[in-house]
Amino acid sequence: FSNHPEFMNYLLALVLLTSTAHAGIALHQKTAKLPFDYQGPFTRLGDGSILGVEAQDAMVSKDEGRSWEPRRIFDRGKFLASGERALLRTNEGVVLFAFLNRKELDFRWDQARGGPQEGCRVPVYVSRSADDGRTWAAPVLLQDGWCGAVRNMIQLRSGRVLLVCQKAVRDPGRHVTINYFSDDQGLTWQASNVIDHGEYGGYGDHGGGLEGTVIERRDGSLKLLLRTPQGCFQDMTSKDGATWTNSMPSTIEASDAPGMMMRLASGRVVLLWNRYMDPVKKLGRRQELSIAFSNNDGVTWTMPQVIATNYMPPGGKDSGYRLSYPYVFEPAPGHLWITTMQGNLRMQLNEADWLLPVGHPLDGIAVRIITLGDSIT
């Protein structure tokens, strides 16, 4: 069979898959483990230290993550932050922490009766520190009802702070996306128009458009990618974060799991997300974490590369083999910390190592087809 390269590539991919199928989380050889187990997200404070947030405390590191000190940020008896959370330090030194309060979680959902029932709630709060994370005001309720996730918060060049959020609605039960924005450093907030894809997805408490991630493009406009079950993200745009339009399927293959975009020091945009291992049968939706970069604000992307896997052995349960809900932090230009809520992935890598196709893809050898021609091609 040595005269048949396609078959040899298949055998190599099979060997790679078999070698990791029972080995738990496997990292690509160009990555490394982080020296700590905190999920984050993380941000850099004005004094050079790094602040991370966990379920009930903030964590501060003054030695680039080698050691951490806890810092109380709210009443532990009243608040317990979900794993889906968002963190931002503004250019003015205000730190904002948005989270779902699991102390008030009450999941009541009956799709046959319209979806979320009376009392179904896990509210969204925002904690605010006006002195660069040293002291914190009591958390303020931003949104009541049921919110499935808050994961992304950015500051625009105008100074506006934008938080991607969502809310469960009825008849049919689904999620709609609402993006909150603040022009006074998180003291007060306004809501964008409601992004409602109706029955898009059609499967109850995870139907609709949800778990978005956003970037500000070079021209000042905004790009939002929403999770959908359609095999791709849903792509939307806005001039200022208040009104969102131009909803269309993205060209990025995705496996019904949220992505995370972030602008890097290089000017590139990085995207972390999950692709189906088998996009036709829609199998293996969260067992591989992929990375790609864009030099043109998400119009085109580098070849997706799998950076970590957690393959499910025969008879395994899908929920135990996920590497999903990613966060990314750039502690130094070109150096990335990547963590996940599902799967507890804690890894680091260098941007430069992934701008060209790698020699030994973690998910096996694939065929690349290049076409040359005009717009019809």
Side-chain angles (χ1 to χ4, degrees):
F1 292 104
S2 60
N3 293 326
H4 297 273
E6 293 85 358
F7 184 74
M8 297 302 293
N9 287 340
Y10 170 77
L11 286 180
L12 177 58
L14 185 62
V15 169
L16 288 171
L17 178 62
T18 304
S19 65
T20 58
H22 301 278
I25 297 176
L27 304 183
H28 193 278
Q29 61 184 359
K30 290 189 176 183
T31 72
K33 290 183 179 180
L34 285 169
F36 56 84
D37 194 43
Y38 299 115
Q39 174 194 298
F42 305 96
T43 191
R44 179 79 70 177
L45 298 178
D47 64 1
S49 61
I50 296 174
L51 176 77
V53 285
E54 290 293 296
Q56 292 193 304
D57 286 310
M59 308 297 296
V60 179
S61 176
K62 298 181 180 180
D63 54 11
E64 299 302 297
R66 289 184 291 275
S67 63
W68 298 82
E69 298 178 1
R71 182 174 293 179
R72 184 69 58 87
I73 55 177
F74 49 57
D75 185 341
R76 289 184 172 186
K78 295 180 179 179
F79 299 101
L80 177 67
S82 169
E84 302 97 336
R85 44 198 182 232
L87 180 68
L88 173 72
R89 180 192 183 270
T90 70
N91 295 328
E92 295 76 12
V94 173
V95 182
L96 300 171
F97 172 33
F99 64 94
L100 314 180
N101 185 24
R102 293 186 63 87
K103 290 282 189 179
E104 299 176 77
L105 186 152
D106 189 358
F107 185 66
R108 303 183 185 184
W109 196 291
D110 186 337
Q111 194 67 8
R113 298 172 57 195
Q117 303 299 293
E118 184 70 26
C120 182
R121 68 190 299 258
V122 57
V124 180
Y125 286 85
V126 176
S127 289
R128 184 178 186 272
S129 171
D131 55 7
D132 213 17
R134 288 183 288 275
T135 61
W136 294 77
V140 174
L141 179 67
L142 177 65
Q143 177 184 283
D144 209 340
W146 181 269
C147 175
V150 288
R151 307 194 63 253
N152 203 186
M153 181 165 43
I154 65 172
Q155 185 176 27
L156 311 184
R157 291 195 290 273
S158 66
R160 171 169 288 181
V161 174
L162 181 67
L163 171 66
V164 182
C165 196
Q166 62 190 62
K167 189 173 186 178
V169 295
R170 292 177 47 80
D171 301 319
R174 66 200 185 279
H175 270 91
V176 298
T177 290
I178 304 172
N179 298 317
Y180 291 93
F181 58 94
S182 173
D183 293 319
D184 56 10
Q185 301 288 297
L187 286 171
T188 61
W189 297 83
Q190 300 179 65
S192 74
N193 65 311
V194 176
I195 302 172
D196 188 358
H197 290 144
E199 294 185 85
Y200 194 67
Y203 65 119
D205 61 304
H206 281 76
L210 65 162
E211 297 176 348
T213 181
V214 67
I215 58 164
E216 182 178 22
R217 295 186 285 206
R218 290 185 176 92
D219 65 1
S221 65
L222 302 171
K223 177 185 180 70
L224 176 72
L225 295 180
L226 293 177
R227 168 189 168 182
T228 78
Q230 304 301 311
C232 64
F233 292 115
Q234 192 75 5
D235 198 329
M236 299 194 70
T237 60
S238 175
K239 291 182 178 180
D240 55 9
T243 303
W244 294 85
T245 58
N246 301 328
S247 180
M248 66 182 67
S250 168
T251 58
I252 304 170
E253 293 183 0
S255 67
D256 191 16
M260 180 63 74
M261 289 189 295
M262 189 180 78
R263 175 81 62 185
L264 300 177
S266 64
R268 297 184 185 91
V269 175
V270 63
L271 172 64
L272 279 300
W273 83 112
N274 302 103
R275 294 178 292 152
Y276 284 114
M277 292 169 57
D278 185 336
V280 176
K281 297 181 180 179
K282 293 187 175 181
L283 297 176
R285 68 188 184 115
R286 295 183 178 181
Q287 296 174 45
E288 296 178 342
L289 185 66
S290 294
I291 192 169
F293 299 87
S294 176
N295 279 309
N296 52 18
D297 293 339
V299 177
T300 60
W301 298 86
T302 59
M303 190 77 161
Q305 302 284 355
V306 173
I307 57 175
T309 64
N310 192 11
Y311 292 127
M312 182 176 67
K317 187 176 181 180
D318 173 76
S319 60
Y321 296 88
R322 295 178 177 177
L323 296 176
S324 50
Y325 288 82
Y327 288 95
V328 58
F329 172 61
E330 188 177 22
H335 185 68
L336 307 183
W337 290 359
I338 297 169
T339 61
T340 64
M341 184 193 74
Q342 292 186 345
N344 297 319
L345 179 67
R346 308 290 184 259
M347 68 184 301
Q348 55 188 324
L349 55 81
N350 293 316
E351 175 186 2
D353 290 336
W354 302 89
L355 300 180
L356 294 173
V358 299
H360 301 284
L362 189 59
D363 54 335
I365 302 297
V367 176
R368 170 177 286 187
I369 300 174
I370 300 176
T371 63
L372 304 176
D374 57 17
S375 57
I376 297 176
T377 304

